[in-house]
Amino acid sequence: MEAVKREKNGVVYYTFPILEQAGIVHGFSTRLGGVSEGDCATMNLSFTRGDDPEAVQENHRRFAGAVGYDVEKLVFSNQVHETVIRRVDASDCGKGIFRESDLIGVDGLMTEDEEVVLMTFFADCVPLFFYDRRRRAIAAVHSGWRGTVRRIGGLAVEAMGREFGSQPEDILSVVGPSICQDCYEVSGDVAEAFREEFTPEQCRELLLEKPEDKYMLNLWRANEIILQEAGIPASQIQVSGLCTCCHPELLFSHRASHGRRGNLAGVITLGGKMEK
């Protein structure tokens, strides 16, 4: 497993060596170290799960203190399983957490502004992190099966190229904690969508057929293929290897909890101070 488990003041989170070595402040939350109760216990970071807003705010303060970023600088995504990726800057700080956001229907965020902290939300879908070490730009993307089959990871690489002049060979990327193939059963129509987008050889890796038109889908490998085909060298892509569904005591999982859960969050910034 490539993800590194860390803890500070009771807040448990994960970092990724490829980004740590580059000095990039980032983290992926767990469900441990917060103050939420019930299905959202304890480190729920989303205001959309029916949780007490004051508890969510306190969770954000704790998570920011552990990872090492300014909570006032957060910018939230607003995820709808589409492929919209928006560039944000300091004028967007606080959107989604301290003020109303106009970033509606946005599954990916990118910036080159050191004042900005990007945050996206998960409970089985795939987090994608990007860092252009030459242009000093970052992106955070939410990639469920719909986003994956529409290659949102590749679209993020293209968007960074348009906005910042990023070249794929300069980008480091992480496929973060999410549901593994052993846990992710999908229907035949989902499998067919992947067959239409990926080659037969690739689909032999991505789809494991089961009885009654069911398949086990490998989102980790699918996103890895997408990033490589977008031009990021394989040596610059790190797959966390941590399944949300396999570890319900540690991570929120929509499948494991049958929808009764809080939300995890992935965070990345060019500012802040990397905690050790």
Side-chain angles (χ1 to χ4, degrees):
M1 186 174 71
E2 297 288 352
V4 178
K5 189 176 183 180
R6 302 202 176 278
E7 181 176 353
K8 183 176 181 182
N9 297 328
V11 176
V12 179
Y13 63 101
Y14 282 86
T15 59
F16 311 101
I18 197 169
L19 295 177
E20 278 196 344
Q21 291 159 13
I24 295 300
V25 175
H26 69 285
F28 190 84
S29 71
T30 68
R31 62 182 303 166
L32 306 179
V35 298
S36 295
E37 299 179 349
D39 295 334
C40 290
T42 61
M43 183 58 82
N44 166 52
L45 292 169
S46 174
F47 292 96
T48 67
R49 304 304 306 174
D51 198 1
D52 177 359
E54 291 186 7
V56 180
Q57 292 279 10
E58 176 61 21
N59 292 342
H60 275 284
R61 286 190 287 271
R62 293 186 180 201
F63 188 52
V67 177
Y69 62 87
D70 184 350
V71 71
E72 302 285 340
K73 305 298 185 182
L74 278 169
V75 181
F76 284 5
S77 60
N78 176 260
Q79 298 156 198
V80 292
H81 297 273
E82 292 292 340
T83 57
V84 175
I85 302 164
R86 288 276 294 273
R87 179 177 181 169
V88 295
D89 58 30
S91 68
D92 297 296
C93 288
K95 287 183 177 179
I97 179 168
F98 298 117
R99 59 190 177 114
E100 190 172 350
S101 179
D102 57 358
L103 301 169
I104 305 303
V106 174
D107 279 74
L109 299 168
M110 57 185 171
T111 193
E112 59 179 355
D113 193 331
E114 293 192 0
E115 292 297 306
V116 173
V117 183
L118 306 180
M119 180 170 278
T120 48
F121 300 91
F122 307 90
D124 283 338
C125 292
V126 180
L128 301 176
F129 298 84
F130 301 85
Y131 170 53
D132 177 351
R133 52 192 175 180
R134 183 177 297 273
R135 298 286 183 170
R136 289 280 295 171
I138 54 173
V141 170
H142 164 266
S143 184
W145 78 259
R146 291 177 180 85
T148 298
V149 81
R150 294 171 66 183
R151 295 179 175 263
I152 191 173
L155 295 175
V157 174
E158 292 176 8
M160 292 179 74
R162 287 194 308 273
E163 295 292 330
F164 312 123
S166 297
Q167 298 298 312
E169 59 267 25
D170 295 324
I171 295 175
L172 308 177
S173 186
V174 168
V175 179
S178 42
I179 195 166
C180 73
Q181 185 174 26
D182 288 345
C183 294
Y184 195 33
E185 182 182 272
V186 299
S187 57
D189 60 329
V190 174
E192 184 58 29
F194 277 80
R195 288 198 192 98
E196 291 175 1
E197 183 60 36
F198 292 85
T199 68
E201 182 179 359
Q202 290 169 342
C203 285
R204 282 192 284 273
E205 288 186 85
L206 303 183
L207 295 166
L208 177 63
E209 189 169 3
K210 295 182 65 182
E212 299 180 359
D213 199 32
K214 300 294 184 182
Y215 297 81
M216 307 306 291
L217 175 59
N218 190 339
L219 286 178
W220 296 352
R221 181 59 182 145
N223 278 283
E224 192 176 23
I225 289 169
I226 289 164
L227 298 178
Q228 287 178 310
E229 291 185 348
I232 301 178
S235 62
Q236 292 167 206
I237 302 169
Q238 194 162 74
V239 180
S240 73
L242 180 62
C243 175
T244 46
C245 193
C246 285
H247 303 282
E249 76 293 342
L250 177 66
L251 302 165
F252 291 120
S253 166
H254 188 79
R255 290 243 167 164
S257 67
H258 305 287
R260 298 171 60 89
R261 45 82 182 177
N263 264 345
L264 306 166
V267 65
I268 185 169
T269 181
L270 292 165
K273 180 181 178 182
M274 196 72 200
E275 297 290 331
K276 299 296 184 183

